[in-house]
Amino acid sequence: MPAQRSVLTLVPRPTKAALRPGHFTLDAGTALHVGAGAEPAADLLRTLLTPATGLSLSLRPSPDGQFALTLDPGLTGLGEEGYGLTVAPHAVLLRAAHLTGLLRGIQTLRQLLPPQALLDTPQRGTRWLLPCAEITDVPRHPWRGAMLDVARHFQPVSYLRRYVDLLALHKISVFHLHLTDDQGWRMPIAALPKLTEVGGHRAESQKGPAGSDTYDGIPHGGAYTRDELVGLVRYAAARGITVMPEIEMPGHVRAALAAYPDLGNHPERTLDVWTRWGVCDTVLGVHDEVLDFCRTVLDEVMDVFPSPYIHVGGEECPTSEWTHSVAARERAVAQGLPGPAALHGWFLGQIGDFLVRHGRRPVGWAETGAELPLDFTVMTWRDSAHTLTAARRGHPVVNAYHRATYLDYAQSGDPREPLAQPGGVVDLRAVHAHDPVPEDADRDVAGRVLGTQTQLWTEFVTTPAHIEYLTYPRLCALADRAWSGATDWADFRSRLDEHTVRLDALDVRQHP
């Protein structure tokens, strides 16, 4: 019974799903009835299904369209992203309170259809059957994210669109795009052209041993145009995904300092874009011109990315340069700080205030969970206990614990695995077992945990095929846990075994 099996193999698992006898057939006579405000959902449905099915899915005035997409603000129990789907032998009804809910439901429809529906070339001779079912689906966590680092190894925007498509299939809500680091600056800033002209390219360096903190020795560069990033944001939004940019500061800025040495603590020094991995000890200065630089950059970032959240990094910031800088020590005294090390919190406070004044929410990586200004949304990664620490301080928290969400770690101990981030294995089961809400959390603390996300740092990852090998199926496990809550491991594996056929149809080079 392939049609019935498809309902039981959805990833992520729906909140409630009941099979019904029969199936609905999409064919040349299938027409859409689109309620007010649901037009973008209809556009997406046609965009995704027409290439494989060849069906026009034309619009027809009510009540003639037997495939209905409707918005009903009264469905308050579905929240922002939930949806209700009814498939009967002669009609399909997809309802939601908000447009995003319809977009999530469309991904469910794609998974219910034969896997050939996921292809982008005509599939003649396939019957496009939807199993009859009643589904009500609401995510457990609003933040279900995936971070891709394009600073270490640049990826063209054409691949980022494919990356978004795969995230959308799994109902991921946030694409965290890591755009700048010591090894590269990928976003153009009109007033600061050297950021990409100089900071977007690193030169050849001596190759170090495998697994060392010396980079691979190959010259590398790349940057996006403003139009490419604006187009990516629009493309993702049409699929219900927010693109959140990350611009690192005050550490992880060697590429920016190579372009503009005056921003550093040693303006007389000429730096290269860093050709090593690890944590670089060159950081931004704390003079007024640096804050002006950050505001200029963030003004353009906010103009390109409408995301309510703007990530400014903030972690792994050595303070030795500030300790030895007369100007930094004077700034610490002027601000009444106990010493130069406290400039880290002061600096992020200045940046956070700027973003808040512009209606955005600053986001930062937390080393301990207690060091970021209170208006920051915190990403905890070092220790799962830091999620509790941050939430108890009142921060909204995204739990990104590295031993469960960092996909640059190897997936198994097999010696045939490609080069990975040094450290232990993060296997599929570890990702699936990761609950974003710590077990010791009380109700108030649990309510501050927004969700979780995967991270893929790309020191050792250069190609789209390698990205997908590391990402899938581990991202399937995170998507399932973050949307569905705890699911039985055997149930997940059973659904994943069938879901793998969909990944194969999309030509995803996944881990065995």
Side-chain angles (χ1 to χ4, degrees):
M1 299 287 292
Q4 289 192 350
R5 188 165 64 247
S6 64
V7 172
L8 302 176
T9 60
L10 294 171
V11 177
R13 182 179 181 173
T15 308
K16 296 179 182 178
L19 292 168
R20 300 285 185 252
H23 60 265
F24 177 89
T25 303
L26 274 76
D27 56 26
T30 302
L32 301 180
H33 163 55
V34 182
E39 294 85 358
D43 291 342
L44 179 63
L45 184 68
R46 284 194 294 266
T47 296
L48 294 175
L49 295 188
T50 298
T53 67
L55 303 177
S56 63
L57 300 175
S58 60
L59 299 181
R60 194 170 295 170
S62 176
D64 297 330
Q66 68 269 50
F67 196 125
L69 308 175
T70 65
L71 287 175
D72 181 354
L75 299 171
T76 55
L78 295 178
E80 185 75 26
E81 297 183 87
Y83 62 92
L85 175 63
T86 301
V87 181
H90 302 293
V92 175
L93 173 61
L94 177 61
R95 300 190 302 161
H98 298 275
L99 176 62
T100 305
L102 293 180
L103 302 180
R104 302 288 180 249
I106 284 169
Q107 300 299 335
T108 295
L109 286 165
R110 295 179 76 202
Q111 291 195 27
L112 289 174
L113 285 166
Q116 296 93 320
L118 299 169
L119 298 172
D120 58 6
T121 54
Q123 303 297 303
R124 295 179 178 85
T126 302
R127 295 187 68 200
W128 304 112
L129 306 180
L130 282 170
C132 291
E134 189 81 34
I135 296 175
T136 302
D137 206 5
V138 180
R140 183 184 181 206
H141 296 289
W143 193 298
R144 307 173 309 282
M147 188 282 292
L148 180 62
D149 166 26
V150 294
R152 272 53 175 264
H153 281 104
F154 177 78
Q155 299 298 332
V157 75
S158 57
Y159 178 68
L160 298 188
R161 289 195 293 269
R162 171 176 166 85
Y163 188 85
V164 164
D165 281 329
L166 291 172
L167 298 185
L169 180 66
H170 296 90
K171 300 183 174 69
I172 294 297
S173 58
V174 179
F175 176 20
H176 176 175
L177 186 59
H178 183 84
L179 286 162
T180 73
D181 218 296
D182 295 311
Q183 298 86 1
W185 186 289
R186 309 300 177 204
M187 178 174 175
I189 304 297
L192 299 157
K194 290 183 181 180
L195 285 174
T196 50
E197 292 172 1
V198 175
H201 303 271
R202 60 178 182 258
E204 183 175 1
S205 71
Q206 184 176 0
K207 187 174 182 178
S212 75
D213 66 354
T214 302
Y215 116 94
D216 56 17
I218 302 171
H220 183 78
Y224 303 106
T225 67
R226 179 187 172 96
D227 285 347
E228 283 178 329
L229 292 175
V230 168
L232 176 67
V233 167
R234 187 183 306 116
Y235 187 89
R239 287 150 181 79
I241 294 176
T242 297
V243 183
M244 178 184 67
E246 180 177 354
I247 306 294
E248 289 268 13
M249 59 184 75
H252 286 287
V253 290
R254 177 71 170 254
L257 295 177
Y260 295 100
D262 288 351
L263 300 173
N265 296 284
H266 298 282
E268 75 287 350
R269 182 172 58 186
T270 300
L271 297 170
D272 58 355
V273 176
W274 214 32
T275 57
R276 301 184 67 181
W277 310 135
V279 178
C280 184
D281 62 1
T282 53
V283 302
L284 290 174
V286 291
H287 40 295
D288 290 342
E289 291 80 2
V290 171
L291 295 175
D292 290 341
F293 161 80
C294 293
R295 295 181 190 113
T296 297
V297 168
L298 291 173
D299 271 333
E300 186 145 354
V301 168
M302 289 187 287
D303 199 35
V304 171
F305 296 94
S307 165
Y309 297 93
I310 303 292
H311 205 304
V312 295
E315 89 293 7
E316 295 179 332
C317 179
T319 58
S320 56
E321 285 194 343
W322 293 340
T323 300
H324 295 100
S325 164
V326 173
R329 293 199 302 270
E330 289 176 348
R331 172 71 85 176
V333 171
Q335 297 299 321
L337 301 174
L343 288 166
H344 177 260
W346 170 84
F347 189 103
L348 290 175
Q350 299 295 305
I351 298 304
D353 288 346
F354 175 75
L355 290 171
V356 169
R357 289 197 307 272
H358 284 77
R360 306 300 180 95
R361 304 172 194 171
V363 185
W365 298 105
E367 302 282 355
T368 68
E371 75 277 18
L372 292 173
L374 288 175
D375 54 7
F376 269 66
T377 295
V378 171
M379 285 192 171
T380 55
W381 62 281
R382 280 189 180 274
D383 192 303
S384 56
H386 295 166
T387 299
L388 276 175
T389 300
R392 285 171 177 162
R393 292 186 79 220
H395 292 284
V397 185
V398 177
N399 185 332
Y401 178 47
H402 70 292
R403 299 305 307 152
T405 71
Y406 276 37
L407 305 186
D408 42 314
Y409 289 123
Q411 302 180 74
S412 77
D414 192 312
R416 293 171 294 180
E417 292 282 5
L419 183 64
Q421 195 76 249
V425 167
V426 174
D427 62 16
L428 182 67
R429 192 158 193 162
V431 180
H432 179 264
H434 175 58
D435 190 340
V437 179
E439 61 181 359
D440 296 335
D442 59 30
R443 184 173 180 178
D444 289 342
V445 166
R448 296 189 189 105
V449 178
L450 301 178
T452 187
Q453 65 176 40
T454 60
Q455 279 62 233
L456 184 53
W457 306 102
T458 59
E459 288 94 333
F460 307 106
V461 185
T462 61
T463 65
H466 195 179
I467 289 171
E468 292 181 6
Y469 177 86
L470 290 172
T471 302
Y472 296 96
R474 288 187 290 183
L475 182 131
C476 304
L478 180 130
D480 200 64
R481 185 65 191 244
W483 180 282
S484 310
T487 58
D488 180 75
W489 170 247
D491 167 67
F492 170 68
R493 282 308 308 259
S494 175
R495 287 182 288 117
L496 182 63
D497 287 344
E498 297 292 336
H499 186 65
T500 297
V501 178
R502 301 180 188 116
L503 298 179
D504 289 341
L506 290 163
D507 198 26
V508 174
R509 183 177 179 258
Q510 60 203 278
H511 190 272

